Amino acid sequence: MNTWFKISENSDFTIYNIPFGIFSTPTLEKRVGIAIGESVLDLTIAFELGLFRSLNISKTVFESNFLNDFISLGKSVTNKVRTIIQEELCTNNSVLKTSKEAFIHQNEVEMHLPVKIGDYTDFYSSIEHATNVGMMFRDPENALLPNWKHIPVGYHGRASSIMVSGKNIYRPKGQVLKPNETSPVFQPSARVDFELEMGFIIGKQTEVGDSVSIEKAEEYIFGKVLFNDWSARDIQKWEYVPLGPFLAKNFASSMSPWVVTMEALEPFRVSGPVQNPKVLTHLEYSGLKNFDINLEVLIAPNEKDETVVSKSNFKYMYWNMSQQLAHHTSNGCNLNVGDLMASGTISGKNKDSYGSMLELSWGGKNTVKLNNGENRKFIEDYDTVIMRGYCEKDEIRVGFGEVRAQILPSK
Amino acid sequence: MNTWFKISENSDFTIYNIPFGIFSTPTLEKRVGIAIGESVLDLTIAFELGLFRSLNISKTVFESNFLNDFISLGKSVTNKVRTIIQEELCTNNSVLKTSKEAFIHQNEVEMHLPVKIGDYTDFYSSIEHATNVGMMFRDPENALLPNWKHIPVGYHGRASSIMVSGKNIYRPKGQVLKPNETSPVFQPSARVDFELEMGFIIGKQTEVGDSVSIEKAEEYIFGKVLFNDWSARDIQKWEYVPLGPFLAKNFASSMSPWVVTMEALEPFRVSGPVQNPKVLTHLEYSGLKNFDINLEVLIAPNEKDETVVSKSNFKYMYWNMSQQLAHHTSNGCNLNVGDLMASGTISGKNKDSYGSMLELSWGGKNTVKLNNGENRKFIEDYDTVIMRGYCEKDEIRVGFGEVRAQILPSK
């Protein structure tokens, strides 16, 4: 595709991408936009210019605080909105080309949480991450629990504290059991950590009692975001048996503002790891269900001197999104548009591809060196953690932008 | 208080109660009502009659699908609405007395989920229940885990599948590991269970990073409901280590339609169990924070022949609601109006006061006899489970009505 819109070579937001998000400016209330190059295209203006006349949709889906109403139109409509924009951006006599209001520089907008999240589920689907954690906390010889290769293990997280990239995070306080003690103390967490994850957003509702087959699972996925599942390892260690992580996780999660559609990711399908033992029938899949998405994590103390501390890839996931969604609904649990399902920490095989400080510092035994000469075992106050992700193949690039947040001292 | 409204002696919905809910009729869309005797008082009509003129509120908070907007007015307003209704029902020349539209018999209304639940948290705060489960699944000598007496253990549940009383439940399917096997099978759960719980509804928002002190915790609680946290024990056993229950719980939960306010429960405060060891400062409380609420569970096969299978009481709770809420926000996790926090299974000391079939049948070893001659270890298809609850003291009775649901075969 050749567009008349000026897009720099390394942009995440190419003509092949067209991700959706919610933005505002000092003069415009929250509304739906797409990212293109360094700009945001205001879809309310695109609507007013008549671009979506053939679709029989209401302007109100674009003048909204969240993408939920837009997503609820269904893929048959939202895909057409995306391809119409692509076509207009490649048509020399497009009305967009002469519209002064349609494009706003990304520096001039504020981005917001793209969806109203009903329920948030976090999986634990990287075999490298689960193995690393099992080796540290349980038995190095039997790092994976017996159920791990049979079910994409997951749990429910807190939706209220999921924030858009750029919102800062207060260091959580909590109960911690110090070594050789039997009673806990209450203090600011000394082991705040990131988890490099990706999330997918549910695009289609189901009813209670219904299950989604693995063949149809992708029909229920609108698109993907970068996700930082902030964790407090010392709080987690004391609280998580037997009902799982709670206050160690629910103080904050950060997500990127642009939702990249499944259609934009189509060229980047790859095969996943061999699953042995064979999974049960309802989790068996065919075709390419993993995606080659380059990921990296950076730490910037005081927002300066970014250091890459991890380079990973979404293609490493043992359990793919279709399996996660089929599992989630296999018991009849219902889904709503805007629900979020996150991957769990995405670690690779090599030590420089681990997706958390827990793994990079191996439980605090090692240090991670930063470019400014400092060392880190976990995340310190005023550190900014940045995650970036992009796909690249045959000169087509589709990126996610970034999710970033700075850790502030406890309130 | 003496009311002119005719209320039978054993009614849950006395003049002292005045609980809020959402109802509809074939001719009226969803709206806010209060339960009084065998009737529902339509608060939209009460508004139109001018009863709330002094409060400067909008009629739209009553013409709503959920109580959230009403609750968001704050206790200073919602308490006044409640006391105004009480006064009118005790005033002989009240306009309500001559309004033909204001009261509708409860047989003629459909009740709906009272709140739009943002996040749902389930605690595990009955020491009797936690001990029973620990004895069955872990070590009878060390039934309670080391953290149990230091933190009100809790986890996040699924909000989407919480349904109002009367909605039937499909038996969940899921992975189960059979005895002496190493690989699971996928089948309908053979161990569907109820959990006798109560839930409280958040009435006041907090911001990310803020904590609510234990002294102020009750200001954030609007009211309480009965709650059945349906569970599939065989699915739970296979999936729950290490991240907690997931598909074993998220197929369905049932709640009672009438929210009983904290103010209505005021007369029924009692002291809680002694907490030894002493809890950390942020969880230390003074005063009476437990509530004497009689609870019972009944099973009715094919909706006939109710058998009481458990009689318990909310006063047994080791951790009280103020401690749960202070703990939940101690890390800065934010709350929204309409969030639900449930108690966990409410078991008493005696075998006939256990709050789940898991405990009543001691993991399926014993049977529970029903009035129709049948036995149960767990819940069978077409069984209806009913939970009821009420407070009584000095001839004042305040009740919760019931939560009921029938189990249907898997879809």
Side-chain angles (χ1 to χ4, degrees):
Chain A
M1 282 186 277
N2 286 315
T3 173
W4 47 262
F5 197 86
K6 205 183 149 189
I7 300 168
S8 69
E9 209 181 325
N10 291 323
S11 177
D12 280 349
F13 306 122
T14 63
I15 188 69
Y16 301 100
N17 193 346
I18 316 291
F20 295 92
I22 298 291
F23 74 98
S24 69
T25 71
T27 55
L28 295 175
E29 294 200 3
K30 287 184 191 175
R31 48 181 57 201
V32 178
I34 65 111
I36 182 79
E38 292 172 12
S39 294
V40 175
L41 169 57
D42 183 340
L43 290 191
T44 302
I45 303 289
F47 181 95
E48 288 167 354
L49 291 170
L51 297 189
F52 310 130
R53 211 173 283 137
S54 62
L55 300 181
N56 195 24
I57 55 178
S58 155
K59 192 166 83 168
T60 57
V61 300
F62 298 116
E63 294 171 314
S64 181
N65 292 343
F66 295 105
L67 291 175
N68 298 49
D69 289 346
F70 174 67
I71 295 172
S72 296
L73 296 173
K75 286 202 184 209
S76 65
V77 176
T78 58
N79 284 344
K80 272 185 202 145
V81 167
R82 183 168 165 271
T83 53
I84 285 170
I85 295 300
Q86 279 179 325
E87 283 160 21
E88 289 291 329
L89 290 170
C90 293
T91 302
N92 269 320
N93 59 357
S94 168
V95 288
L96 286 179
K97 209 166 174 178
T98 51
S99 166
K100 282 179 188 161
E101 299 170 302
F103 298 95
I104 307 164
H105 197 279
Q106 285 174 23
N107 289 341
E108 291 165 24
V109 306
E110 184 183 353
M111 295 305 299
H112 303 276
L113 200 66
V115 281
K116 174 84 179 160
I117 299 164
D119 281 290
Y120 153 47
T121 297
D122 197 22
F123 286 95
Y124 185 57
S125 289
S126 152
I127 196 164
E128 291 81 5
H129 172 68
T131 304
N132 287 339
V133 171
M135 285 173 74
M136 274 184 266
F137 288 132
R138 286 180 295 266
D139 177 4
E141 301 301 311
N142 288 291
L144 286 183
L145 287 161
N147 59 14
W148 200 90
K149 286 188 168 182
H150 296 281
I151 50 180
V153 171
Y155 68 106
H156 297 116
R158 181 92 188 167
S160 73
S161 53
I162 299 176
M163 292 176 275
V164 72
S165 176
K167 299 272 182 200
N168 297 332
I169 312 293
Y170 296 97
R171 178 176 297 273
K173 289 177 273 194
Q175 287 196 18
V176 172
L177 189 70
K178 298 212 166 171
N180 308 316
E181 295 288 337
T182 54
S183 291
V185 292
F186 183 75
Q187 62 178 33
S189 167
R191 293 193 154 204
V192 168
D193 199 357
F194 59 78
E195 289 195 337
L196 169 63
E197 303 198 10
M198 297 197 76
F200 65 85
I201 286 162
I202 296 299
K204 194 171 165 184
Q205 198 180 345
T206 71
E207 296 300 319
V208 175
D210 287 345
S211 301
V212 177
S213 71
I214 194 150
E215 292 79 18
K216 293 195 169 169
E218 285 187 1
E219 292 175 20
Y220 292 78
I221 305 176
F222 176 74
K224 288 184 68 62
V225 292
L226 300 168
F227 194 74
N228 183 351
D229 179 28
W230 292 102
S231 301
R233 301 301 179 190
D234 39 7
I235 297 173
Q236 187 173 352
K237 196 175 175 186
W238 173 234
E239 76 173 357
Y240 92 104
V241 179
L243 299 183
F246 181 53
L247 297 190
K249 300 274 193 176
N250 67 13
F251 59 98
S253 313
S254 301
M255 70 187 259
S256 56
W258 294 108
V259 185
V260 176
T261 63
M262 290 301 285
E263 289 69 30
L265 296 172
E266 198 57 44
F268 310 105
R269 287 183 184 273
V270 290
S271 59
V274 174
Q275 295 183 325
N276 182 14
K278 206 174 153 214
V279 299
L280 289 179
T281 318
H282 68 295
L283 299 175
E284 251 180 72
Y285 71 94
S286 59
L288 305 176
K289 297 286 182 188
N290 278 46
F291 291 85
D292 184 357
I293 306 174
N294 302 289
L295 299 167
E296 61 178 17
V297 186
L298 305 93
I299 297 177
N302 291 302
E303 305 192 74
K304 287 178 298 209
D305 290 324
E306 293 181 4
T307 302
V308 176
V309 296
S310 176
K311 277 179 174 289
S312 187
N313 195 304
F314 188 62
K315 71 183 176 190
Y316 301 146
M317 301 308 291
Y318 187 87
W319 295 101
N320 60 54
M321 293 183 280
S322 294
Q323 292 180 310
Q324 290 167 340
L325 194 142
H327 176 64
H328 203 314
T329 61
S330 65
N331 69 341
C333 177
N334 58 323
L335 308 177
N336 286 313
V337 169
D339 287 349
L340 179 73
M341 297 193 188
S343 55
T345 308
I346 305 163
S347 292
K349 281 197 172 51
N350 300 329
K351 285 186 180 174
D352 59 359
S353 65
Y354 293 168
S356 65
M357 291 301 284
L358 179 71
E359 294 162 271
L360 291 165
S361 76
W362 207 253
K365 285 185 187 155
N366 309 325
T367 54
V368 174
K369 284 191 180 159
L370 302 185
N371 293 342
N372 69 352
E374 294 179 16
N375 292 315
R376 287 289 181 278
K377 294 182 172 188
F378 291 95
I379 302 301
E380 299 191 0
D381 286 346
Y382 304 108
D383 282 355
T384 297
V385 174
I386 306 150
M387 295 172 178
R388 300 194 178 115
Y390 68 94
C391 310
E392 211 162 32
K393 188 186 173 188
D394 302 335
E395 295 185 10
I396 293 178
R397 184 178 162 113
V398 167
F400 287 79
E402 65 178 29
V403 55
R404 71 159 62 213
Q406 189 177 34
I407 290 286
L408 302 180
S410 299
K411 257 196 194 177
Chain B
M1 282 186 276
N2 286 314
T3 173
W4 47 263
F5 196 84
K6 204 183 149 190
I7 300 169
S8 68
E9 208 180 324
N10 290 323
S11 176
D12 280 349
F13 306 122
T14 63
I15 188 71
Y16 301 100
N17 193 346
I18 316 291
F20 295 92
I22 298 292
F23 75 98
S24 68
T25 71
T27 55
L28 295 175
E29 295 200 3
K30 287 184 191 176
R31 47 183 56 201
V32 177
I34 67 111
I36 182 78
E38 292 173 10
S39 294
V40 175
L41 169 57
D42 183 340
L43 290 190
T44 302
I45 304 288
F47 181 95
E48 287 168 354
L49 292 170
L51 297 190
F52 310 129
R53 212 173 281 138
S54 62
L55 300 180
N56 195 21
I57 55 178
S58 157
K59 193 167 81 168
T60 57
V61 300
F62 298 116
E63 295 171 312
S64 182
N65 293 342
F66 295 105
L67 291 174
N68 299 50
D69 287 348
F70 174 67
I71 295 172
S72 296
L73 296 172
K75 285 202 186 210
S76 66
V77 176
T78 59
N79 284 344
K80 272 185 201 143
V81 168
R82 183 169 165 271
T83 53
I84 285 170
I85 295 299
Q86 279 179 325
E87 282 161 21
E88 290 291 328
L89 291 170
C90 293
T91 302
N92 270 320
N93 59 356
S94 168
V95 288
L96 286 180
K97 210 167 172 178
T98 50
S99 167
K100 283 180 190 162
E101 298 170 303
F103 298 94
I104 307 163
H105 198 278
Q106 285 174 22
N107 290 340
E108 291 165 24
V109 306
E110 184 183 353
M111 295 305 299
H112 302 276
L113 200 67
V115 280
K116 173 85 180 163
I117 300 164
D119 281 289
Y120 153 47
T121 298
D122 196 23
F123 287 95
Y124 185 57
S125 288
S126 153
I127 195 164
E128 291 81 5
H129 172 69
T131 305
N132 287 340
V133 171
M135 284 173 73
M136 273 185 267
F137 289 132
R138 287 180 294 265
D139 177 4
E141 301 301 310
N142 288 290
L144 286 182
L145 287 161
N147 58 14
W148 200 91
K149 287 188 167 182
H150 296 281
I151 50 179
V153 171
Y155 69 106
H156 297 114
R158 180 91 189 168
S160 72
S161 54
I162 299 176
M163 290 175 275
V164 72
S165 176
K167 298 272 184 201
N168 296 331
I169 311 294
Y170 296 98
R171 177 176 298 271
K173 288 176 274 192
Q175 287 195 19
V176 172
L177 189 69
K178 298 213 164 171
N180 307 316
E181 295 288 335
T182 54
S183 291
V185 292
F186 183 74
Q187 62 179 33
S189 168
R191 296 194 152 203
V192 167
D193 199 357
F194 60 79
E195 288 195 338
L196 170 63
E197 304 199 9
M198 297 198 76
F200 66 85
I201 286 162
I202 296 299
K204 195 173 165 183
Q205 196 180 346
T206 71
E207 296 300 319
V208 174
D210 286 346
S211 302
V212 176
S213 72
I214 194 150
E215 293 79 17
K216 294 195 169 171
E218 284 187 0
E219 293 175 20
Y220 292 79
I221 303 176
F222 175 73
K224 287 184 68 59
V225 292
L226 300 168
F227 194 74
N228 183 350
D229 179 28
W230 293 100
S231 301
R233 301 301 178 190
D234 39 6
I235 297 173
Q236 187 173 352
K237 195 173 175 187
W238 172 235
E239 77 173 358
Y240 91 105
V241 179
L243 299 183
F246 181 54
L247 297 190
K249 300 274 193 175
N250 68 12
F251 60 97
S253 313
S254 301
M255 72 186 259
S256 57
W258 294 109
V259 185
V260 175
T261 64
M262 290 301 285
E263 291 67 31
L265 296 172
E266 199 57 44
F268 310 104
R269 286 182 185 274
V270 290
S271 60
V274 174
Q275 295 183 325
N276 183 14
K278 206 174 154 215
V279 298
L280 290 178
T281 317
H282 68 295
L283 299 176
E284 252 181 72
Y285 70 96
S286 58
L288 305 177
K289 298 286 183 189
N290 279 44
F291 292 84
D292 184 357
I293 306 173
N294 302 291
L295 299 168
E296 60 177 17
V297 186
L298 305 94
I299 297 177
N302 291 301
E303 304 192 75
K304 288 178 294 209
D305 290 325
E306 293 183 3
T307 301
V308 176
V309 296
S310 176
K311 277 180 173 289
S312 187
N313 195 304
F314 188 61
K315 72 183 175 190
Y316 300 146
M317 300 308 293
Y318 188 88
W319 294 100
N320 60 53
M321 293 182 280
S322 294
Q323 292 180 309
Q324 290 167 340
L325 194 143
H327 176 63
H328 204 315
T329 61
S330 64
N331 69 341
C333 178
N334 58 322
L335 308 177
N336 287 312
V337 169
D339 288 349
L340 179 73
M341 297 192 188
S343 57
T345 308
I346 305 163
S347 293
K349 281 196 173 51
N350 300 330
K351 284 186 181 174
D352 59 358
S353 65
Y354 293 168
S356 64
M357 291 301 285
L358 179 71
E359 294 162 272
L360 291 165
S361 75
W362 207 254
K365 284 185 188 154
N366 308 326
T367 54
V368 174
K369 282 189 184 162
L370 302 186
N371 293 341
N372 70 353
E374 294 179 16
N375 292 314
R376 288 288 181 278
K377 294 183 171 188
F378 291 94
I379 301 302
E380 300 191 359
D381 286 346
Y382 304 108
D383 282 356
T384 296
V385 175
I386 306 150
M387 296 173 178
R388 300 195 177 114
Y390 68 95
C391 310
E392 210 162 33
K393 189 185 172 189
D394 303 334
E395 295 187 12
I396 293 178
R397 184 178 162 114
V398 167
F400 287 80
E402 63 177 30
V403 55
R404 70 159 62 213
Q406 189 177 32
I407 290 285
L408 301 180
S410 301
K411 259 196 193 178

